[in-house]
Amino acid sequence: EKSRGSFFTQLTKAVAGKSKVDDEVLDNLEEILVTADVGVDTTLKIIERIEERVERDKYLDAEELNTILHEEIAGLLSENQTEDVHGFSVPEDKKPYVILVVGVNGVGKTTTIGKLAAKYIAQGKKVVLGAGDTFRAAAVDQLKMWGERVGADVISRGMNTDPSAVAFDAVQRGVETNADVVIVDTAGRLHNKINLMNELTKIRRVMTKVTDGVPHEVLLVLDGSTGQNAVIQAREFTKATEVTAIAVTKLDGTAKGGVVIGISDEFKIPVKYIGVGEGVDHLQAFNKMEFVASFFNAPKA
Amino acid sequence: MFDNLSDKLDRAVKNLKGEGRISEINVATTVKEIRKALLDADVNFKIAKQITNEIREEALGSNVLTAVSPGQMFTKIVSDKLTDLMGGEMTPFRPTGTPAVVLIAGLQGSGKTTFTGKLGLRLKKQGKQVLLVACDVYRPAAIDQLETLGEQTGVEVYTERENKNPVEIAQNAIAHAKKTGKSMVIVDTAGRLAVDEQMMKEIEAVKQTIEPSETLFVVDSMTGQDAVNTAKTFNERLNFDGVVLTKLDGDTRGGAALSIRRVVEKPIKFISLGEKLENTLEEFHPDRMAQRILGMGDVVTLVEKA
Ligand SMILES: Nc1nc2c(ncn2[C@@H]2O[C@H](COP(=O)(O)OP(=O)(O)OP(=O)(O)O)[C@@H](O)[C@H]2O)c(=O)[nH]1
Ligand SMILES: Nc1nc2c(ncn2[C@@H]2O[C@H](COP(=O)(O)OP(=O)(O)OP(=O)(O)O)[C@@H](O)[C@H]2O)c(=O)[nH]1
Ligand SMILES: [Mg+2]
Ligand SMILES: [Mg+2]
């Protein structure tokens, strides 16, 4: 019953001719945001910003307040600071463009890699994938199947081999074959496992032995249905690998993925992609305003 | 870092004592801290509200206000309440039938296949003749994954690589299990969203066909607010018997467990604590989970010191 319509109607009733937002509206806003996994602290921050704006630009109408609301929430989402890179294009001067993909278990790393490769290949680019998950059962097979499906070259040393060596090989193959993009998969790992996080740091370091400046992008994949733990994930993966971009997956369900608002704000990491399904086409460039608007949509279930 | 609830309660309790007089207002402040802790731990918004209301009622209703050590009593109320909500006692996993059939269901990436492998190993160690069944016909290499787990544990895996119909595969697997004298069959299924009507119909059909004695719903313990929607729908469609909480080797508070328990009233039967198959599957303890959600491990000691 918390549809955008009803909240908007409520706004209309609550703000007409007032210079303060009333508590009932704020309570409902709190519910909408917390229920979207935005988290209590970020929610309070948003509410404060709204209160300040309303105080300043007294006597707003509901339409204006609604716009401000969306703007203030979207304002916490970091701008895309990685110059050159927009949507699914890669900078011409970085060839091959090397992406290292990291995240906790089962979030959708391998699937996102398959979809991303498909986007580049559709643009006529040559893509090399590195099967750096040498641990989880059949992880290499999974990436190989994606490689076949989308037409990407998959580099592997098989299971239970050193993932750094695979990453090295993949970058080297990219350079040798004049590929446009190299994407390296890694095993899912929980951020509180120090050895596994150190392994990521090592993978990153070994890649630079092939050529300077790689990886150009470290993509942290977050599961859109994850709650507040995602904040700690972002912090710990950033420490280990200098994350430069975020992909949020599984937004085709009822989860809203609101936790990335606080993450983007705190760590200044842009959200670049969203996953909206298991199919090869189910990857979209992130759109702030649409994302924020989805919090106010009626639940699909 | 998580703000530790114990610190906050400690402060609140000191306030209670310091003022010498305990009022409804003090209780309200303490209750507010508890609510925030629940939300930070990913307990569902509405449920956190209900629970804190109940805690407030209990606190005001009991003689916490006149107790010698109100903080201690308050802590006990919270701790008991959560443990109670988590299910009070442990509920054992005891599938029946020859063979006993267990159906595994859940969202994508929650840990179903890994759990299938682990449960197979556990049952094998108990002397059961186990068959794992690969009914995920969608995810790339899902069958290979289960086969690998079967190899690692020495448990037979039933597959039909050319067959894209999970209902048929499951049915044939049961026939195979009967023929080969298996006592336990564990059916792994593809991950699916609760809103995916076609996929939900599919798993309903699998369930109807194989009539499992236990249907287990596997949930990632890092799940946020959406846990209730998913659990509710899966329960409506499958009327599952128990919940498996995975990835508890991480540092999530796991508040989703509380929400699910409250919404579907089904016991949590197992917790999974790692990617490896050995020694990472445990029975669920409601009291420990309650402590984890509130970060209350040291609350008791703190209050005792106060
Ligand atoms: N509905 C939905 N499912 C997704 C999406 N992205 C990935 N998945 C599914 O989530 C599950 C896990 O995806 P993977 O790509 O294997 O995840 P991963 O992070 O590589 O997993 P590990 O390597 O085991 O850590 C699979 O069943 C995918 O099909 C998405 O955007 N929507
Ligand atoms: N750390 C940790 N990882 C786990 C646990 N259980 C499963 N995993 C990992 O989580 C990821 C997903 O597990 P799967 O068993 O493939 O999940 P699934 O539900 O079968 O996934 P789909 O079939 O794609 O829906 C893998 O990387 C597993 O190794 C656990 O208890 N702890
Ligand atoms: Mg993977
Ligand atoms: Mg699986």
Side-chain angles (χ1 to χ4, degrees):
Chain A
E1 76 266 51
K2 283 280 146 8
S3 69
R4 180 186 181 279
S6 74
F7 184 68
F8 188 71
T9 315
Q10 207 201 353
L11 272 186
T12 313
K13 272 195 284 182
V15 299
K18 292 180 190 159
S19 59
K20 264 185 72 186
V21 190
D22 69 49
D23 285 348
E24 204 189 320
V25 171
L26 292 181
D27 279 353
N28 280 300
L29 180 59
E30 184 194 16
E31 175 166 1
I32 288 169
L33 294 176
V34 171
T35 306
D37 287 317
V38 170
V40 177
D41 292 328
T42 308
T43 294
L44 291 178
K45 191 166 172 178
I46 291 168
I47 288 180
E48 267 168 33
R49 288 170 77 148
I50 304 286
E51 283 182 312
E52 274 168 30
R53 285 258 321 244
V54 172
E55 178 79 18
R56 203 171 57 225
D57 316 339
K58 295 191 163 64
Y59 309 113
L60 298 162
D61 64 20
E63 191 73 52
E64 283 169 312
L65 183 55
N66 195 47
T67 309
I68 286 176
L69 183 57
H70 284 64
E71 279 170 10
E72 290 293 344
I73 302 172
L76 290 173
L77 285 158
S78 175
E79 288 298 328
N80 192 337
Q81 292 136 336
T82 42
E83 346 85 66
D84 300 325
V85 189
H86 293 292
F88 298 104
S89 64
V90 290
E92 299 288 328
D93 59 332
K94 290 167 183 156
K95 195 174 166 160
Y97 186 70
V98 178
I99 307 171
L100 178 65
V101 179
V102 301
V104 300
N105 307 83
V107 288
K109 293 175 293 298
T110 308
T111 308
T112 303
I113 290 170
K115 295 174 187 174
L116 205 49
K119 293 279 183 202
Y120 294 130
I121 288 165
Q123 296 166 16
K125 295 200 158 62
K126 185 174 159 56
V127 179
V128 173
L129 305 180
D133 182 354
T134 61
F135 178 75
R136 208 216 58 224
V140 171
D141 293 328
Q142 186 187 2
L143 191 73
K144 279 186 175 162
M145 285 175 79
W146 272 106
E148 266 168 45
R149 183 185 281 183
V150 304
D153 195 5
V154 178
I155 303 304
S156 157
R157 289 186 168 214
M159 294 300 295
N160 305 313
T161 56
D162 180 4
S164 318
V166 178
F168 181 94
D169 286 358
V171 178
Q172 193 167 51
R173 175 71 72 94
V175 171
E176 279 167 11
T177 61
N178 203 27
D180 299 285
V181 183
V182 175
I183 314 177
V184 177
D185 192 12
T186 60
R189 66 200 72 220
L190 292 176
H191 50 276
N192 58 340
K193 312 249 159 109
I194 294 159
N195 290 344
L196 296 180
M197 295 309 278
N198 288 343
E199 181 186 79
L200 273 190
T201 312
K202 181 182 168 198
I203 293 173
R204 196 191 150 95
R205 192 177 60 236
V206 169
M207 290 168 97
T208 63
K209 291 189 178 160
V210 186
T211 169
D212 281 342
V214 297
H216 303 104
E217 180 165 328
V218 177
L219 183 66
L220 173 67
V221 181
L222 297 175
D223 183 327
S225 60
T226 302
Q228 298 311 303
N229 192 252
V231 179
I232 312 178
Q233 293 172 23
R235 178 173 307 133
E236 296 303 319
F237 277 95
T238 298
K239 268 193 212 153
T241 60
E242 300 163 44
V243 172
T244 61
I246 290 171
V248 192
T249 61
K250 310 184 194 174
L251 290 181
D252 43 328
T254 38
K256 306 287 193 190
V259 66
V260 299
I261 301 245
I263 290 173
S264 183
D265 181 43
E266 183 175 346
F267 305 100
K268 305 295 167 219
I269 307 169
V271 181
K272 283 182 75 175
Y273 312 111
I274 61 167
V276 292
E278 299 183 76
V280 64
D281 296 329
H282 292 143
L283 188 73
Q284 297 172 359
F286 179 71
N287 178 315
K288 279 182 193 187
M289 292 315 265
E290 276 176 22
F291 181 70
V292 172
S294 78
F295 299 171
F296 297 89
N297 288 342
K300 281 175 251 176
Chain B
M1 287 302 116
F2 279 120
D3 266 336
N4 207 336
L5 180 77
S6 53
D7 294 344
K8 289 183 178 164
L9 277 186
D10 190 38
R11 245 181 287 132
V13 164
K14 282 203 174 112
N15 275 342
L16 285 175
K17 289 189 142 181
E19 264 180 36
R21 228 180 67 84
I22 300 125
S23 64
E24 286 203 23
I25 298 165
N26 298 123
V27 173
T29 316
T30 311
V31 164
K32 219 169 148 188
E33 296 288 4
I34 295 167
R35 177 170 168 270
K36 169 142 191 329
L38 291 173
L39 293 177
D40 283 343
D42 295 316
V43 172
N44 176 267
F45 186 89
K46 284 204 172 77
I47 292 171
K49 209 170 188 173
Q50 286 166 14
I51 294 175
T52 42
N53 282 341
E54 289 164 21
I55 289 174
R56 180 191 296 118
E57 297 295 299
E58 268 173 53
L60 290 173
S62 75
N63 52 357
V64 64
L65 299 183
T66 52
V68 184
S69 172
Q72 217 162 334
M73 185 170 277
F74 206 102
T75 306
K76 189 170 169 3
I77 290 175
V78 176
S79 171
D80 287 355
K81 177 83 191 166
L82 291 186
T83 305
D84 198 40
L85 285 170
M86 287 311 316
E89 273 144 55
M90 241 177 60
T91 314
F93 168 78
R94 277 202 205 95
T96 54
T98 28
V101 179
V102 183
L103 177 64
I104 310 296
L107 293 185
Q108 286 93 347
S110 54
K112 295 175 295 301
T113 307
T114 308
F115 173 72
T116 303
K118 290 185 187 190
L119 186 61
L121 178 62
R122 162 180 288 234
L123 295 170
K124 179 190 156 189
K125 282 183 173 167
Q126 292 170 1
K128 306 266 174 19
Q129 309 298 309
V130 186
L131 183 70
L132 309 182
V133 185
C135 278
D136 180 352
V137 299
Y138 309 99
R139 168 174 168 170
I143 299 174
D144 303 295
Q145 187 185 357
L146 194 65
E147 266 185 344
T148 306
L149 299 180
E151 274 162 33
Q152 285 171 4
T153 54
V155 172
E156 187 181 336
V157 179
Y158 185 88
T159 66
E160 290 185 28
R161 287 189 176 265
E162 303 310 313
N163 195 342
K164 295 289 171 221
N165 183 338
V167 178
E168 275 175 29
I169 299 171
Q171 200 167 20
N172 296 343
I174 307 272
H176 174 82
K178 283 183 177 152
K179 210 168 60 199
T180 54
K182 299 290 189 294
S183 54
M184 280 280 171
V185 180
I186 312 172
V187 181
D188 182 28
T189 61
R192 65 201 73 223
L193 293 170
V195 285
D196 189 334
E197 188 50 32
Q198 201 182 332
M199 290 296 283
M200 292 308 284
K201 278 206 172 108
E202 177 197 278
I203 196 150
E204 273 177 330
V206 171
K207 183 175 179 190
Q208 267 165 28
T209 310
I210 62 174
E211 297 179 333
S213 115
E214 290 257 351
T215 300
L216 297 179
F217 176 60
V218 180
V219 198
D220 185 326
S221 59
M222 295 177 276
T223 311
Q225 295 285 318
D226 190 53
V228 287
N229 300 327
T230 308
K232 222 166 124 186
T233 313
F234 270 82
N235 193 45
E236 278 160 15
R237 305 296 289 256
L238 294 176
N239 187 22
F240 55 71
D241 302 284
V243 177
V244 179
L245 269 184
T246 63
K247 310 182 197 174
L248 272 169
D249 46 325
D251 54 7
T252 183
R253 288 291 183 84
L258 192 61
S259 308
I260 292 173
R261 176 70 222 205
R262 176 88 170 200
V263 157
V264 300
E265 297 189 335
K266 294 287 170 67
I268 296 169
K269 295 210 170 171
F270 290 105
I271 59 172
S272 169
L273 296 142
E275 296 185 76
K276 301 210 173 80
L277 300 171
E278 292 265 6
N279 305 323
T280 52
L281 189 61
E282 291 180 9
E283 248 115 50
F284 174 73
H285 294 278
D287 51 338
R288 289 184 208 163
M289 195 67 213
Q291 305 277 312
R292 178 177 179 133
I293 290 171
L294 277 182
M296 297 226 347
D298 39 347
V299 155
V300 182
T301 40
L302 263 171
V303 172
E304 274 163 8
K305 269 188 291 172

